[in-house]
Amino acid sequence: MVFCEVKGEQLMAWQERCLRSLTDAKLFLSTAHMERFKETWKVLKRQPFCTKGLCKCLFLSAWDQEHYQFLKDTVEEMIARQDADTSYMLEKGRVVLGNVALSERELFKLSIEFLEKEGQTPDERCLLKLSHHWVPITDNTLEMGRLVDSLE
């Protein structure tokens, strides 16, 4: 486990409390969603480029196999490159923006915002730009983002 030393006490780092917090809050929309998240989170939480923003991106992408595979492949590339930050993921996300449909573009914009504005979760206005298929997962991701932002 990863611990932080605070005034002589050991406290679990947010990465170690994250999955339990999300599960307790019942934020996963399906078992498949949760299993995809857990699979990559086990590896991601130990990486130097693991941030709360990247955790939010993983939660959002884990909703469907296609987006999840894109994120998982990118994380694996970042590990192989020995990246220390998320700049490579930001670069890939910006490239994809020009090649996807409108709702999907909004999801990539949201992911980029998660990475650029660490520790902040956007408000619900982004939901208005999405097709109805993506509203539930995006709404849950915003809720998840606020929860993760609160973890110390």
Side-chain angles (χ1 to χ4, degrees):
M1 286 192 165
V2 177
F3 291 93
C4 298
E5 192 75 30
V6 179
K7 294 185 183 179
E9 294 182 37
Q10 285 191 339
L11 301 172
M12 273 195 287
W14 73 269
Q15 293 94 329
E16 293 300 325
R17 294 193 329 264
C18 180
L19 181 59
R20 174 61 153 242
S21 297
L22 299 179
T23 304
D24 289 351
K26 297 179 177 27
L27 290 172
F28 292 101
L29 296 179
S30 70
T31 302
H33 181 214
M34 182 174 63
E35 291 304 317
R36 284 189 286 264
F37 180 91
K38 282 170 54 174
E39 177 186 339
T40 298
W41 185 245
K42 286 179 192 176
V43 174
L44 182 61
K45 71 182 180 180
R46 291 182 174 82
Q47 300 306 314
F49 55 82
C50 181
T51 64
K52 291 178 179 182
L54 187 51
C55 180
K56 295 171 195 178
C57 292
L58 174 58
F59 185 88
L60 179 60
S61 70
W63 171 242
D64 79 336
Q65 186 61 42
E66 179 185 349
H67 294 96
Y68 169 70
Q69 194 62 53
F70 177 81
L71 184 130
K72 183 179 175 191
D73 291 346
T74 303
V75 166
E76 288 171 358
E77 290 172 34
M78 292 168 70
I79 291 169
R81 292 164 40 101
Q82 299 182 342
D83 286 353
D85 61 37
T86 58
S87 58
Y88 179 71
M89 182 167 279
L90 274 166
E91 179 184 315
K92 280 189 79 168
R94 288 184 184 116
V95 169
V96 170
L97 270 179
N99 302 316
V100 293
L102 185 59
S103 274
E104 220 174 349
R105 189 173 312 128
E106 293 304 319
L107 296 176
F108 276 94
K109 283 181 184 177
L110 183 60
S111 292
I112 288 169
E113 190 169 347
F114 288 152
L115 296 174
E116 288 180 334
K117 298 178 180 175
E118 192 62 42
Q120 298 176 28
T121 298
D123 63 30
E124 289 80 13
R125 285 179 285 185
C126 65
L127 298 175
L128 299 173
K129 299 175 184 176
L130 299 170
S131 71
H132 70 281
H133 300 289
W134 287 104
V135 170
I137 183 56
T138 306
D139 191 36
N140 268 40
T141 301
L142 296 175
E143 178 77 20
M144 174 272 193
R146 290 185 285 274
L147 175 65
V148 168
D149 289 342
S150 74
L151 295 176
E152 296 293 324

